[in-house]
Amino acid sequence: MIILGLNAWHGDASACLMREGRLVAAAEEERFRRIKHWAGFPSQAIAWCLAEAGLTLADIDLQPIGFDPTGAILVAGPAASGRTTAVRWLAESFHRWAGDSYLVHLSSRRSPLSHLDLWTSSTTGPEAAKEVIDKLRPYAELSAEESPSRLAIVIEGYPEFVSSMVEGPLSELVKLCRRNGHLLIAEGESTAWASPWPLVMEVRNARTGLLL
């Protein structure tokens, strides 16, 4: 059995590979990021361990991993990379952990996730999102400890809201979620995250996410 072990979402993020109970490769993410005690998902450490062992993810018996349900989490990847599945996994994991939470889904386009039963509300397009964002702001202004229920916002096609009527309000909402310990999951195609727009950078600068 080949196991990929991860230490993620907090300080000293790292990865290691075990083959039949023997350590094959191990590395801390700070080695590649050049930031001491780097926190987040150790994507570069994973890539190094796989290369060192001459393996790919297809060879690995993947293991479950927990995550800290606060702040902004970016989900990025090319078309058909499994972004929708990853977003659904994160949302369902949060829902299982905090069943009485206020779990909101915003999408810039039609999505197969829109009809999931776990959402408190789900909207499509900037106009509908604007109304929901205005309602969410009072919750986001409270710290997670002060809020009457946990708040999590899942946004599909997040970079596509750039230059829309909700760009400003959405950027402020992201800042509040990061500052006050709420969860915001933002999904988009890899190339879109290279944009220098403030809305995109607000999530990207959180330095936490899944790269598929």
Side-chain angles (χ1 to χ4, degrees):
M1 177 179 288
I2 302 173
I3 297 174
L4 174 64
L6 303 179
N7 175 38
W9 311 116
H10 49 80
D12 299 317
S14 57
C16 71
L17 272 174
M18 304 284 291
R19 190 200 301 263
E20 305 302 334
R22 294 179 60 250
L23 180 65
V24 177
E28 289 194 2
E29 190 73 5
E30 66 175 35
R31 170 181 172 184
F32 310 99
R33 306 277 182 171
R34 304 300 183 189
I35 299 173
K36 294 294 290 182
H37 307 300
W38 191 88
F41 188 77
S43 57
Q44 294 186 40
I46 292 170
W48 183 87
C49 288
L50 290 172
E52 185 73 6
L55 300 171
T56 69
L57 281 176
D59 302 311
I60 304 300
D61 298 299
L62 295 176
Q63 300 298 305
I65 180 173
F67 67 96
D68 183 12
T70 62
I73 296 178
L74 178 155
V75 178
S81 62
R83 297 194 313 268
T84 299
T85 300
V87 168
R88 178 171 184 166
W89 170 77
L90 288 167
E92 290 180 340
S93 297
F94 180 87
H95 183 65
R96 285 194 298 270
W97 175 71
D100 60 346
S101 61
Y102 198 66
L103 185 53
V104 178
H105 174 249
L106 310 177
S107 182
S108 60
R109 58 189 183 278
R110 293 180 63 183
S111 167
L113 302 185
S114 298
H115 304 295
L116 294 179
D117 292 336
L118 53 86
W119 309 124
T120 304
S121 66
S122 177
T123 64
T124 302
E127 187 172 343
K130 175 67 166 59
E131 183 178 346
V132 173
I133 290 169
D134 289 342
K135 292 180 179 178
L136 289 175
R137 186 179 177 98
Y139 290 92
E141 287 175 340
L142 298 173
S143 70
E145 292 74 21
E146 296 173 329
S147 180
S149 62
R150 301 286 304 195
L151 173 62
I153 305 168
V154 177
I155 307 175
E156 287 190 275
Y158 177 88
E160 296 168 32
F161 283 110
V162 168
S163 298
S164 74
M165 63 186 298
V166 298
E167 180 178 3
L170 183 54
S171 183
E172 289 302 313
L173 184 65
V174 175
K175 291 178 183 177
L176 288 171
C177 287
R178 291 184 61 190
R179 181 186 309 142
N180 294 325
H182 301 292
L183 176 64
L184 185 136
I185 300 166
E187 174 271 336
E189 192 162 349
S190 297
T191 54
W193 289 108
S195 166
W197 287 93
L199 180 65
V200 172
M201 293 181 66
E202 192 62 44
V203 170
R204 198 174 68 209
N205 289 345
R207 307 181 68 86
T208 301
L210 293 175
L211 306 178
L212 305 174

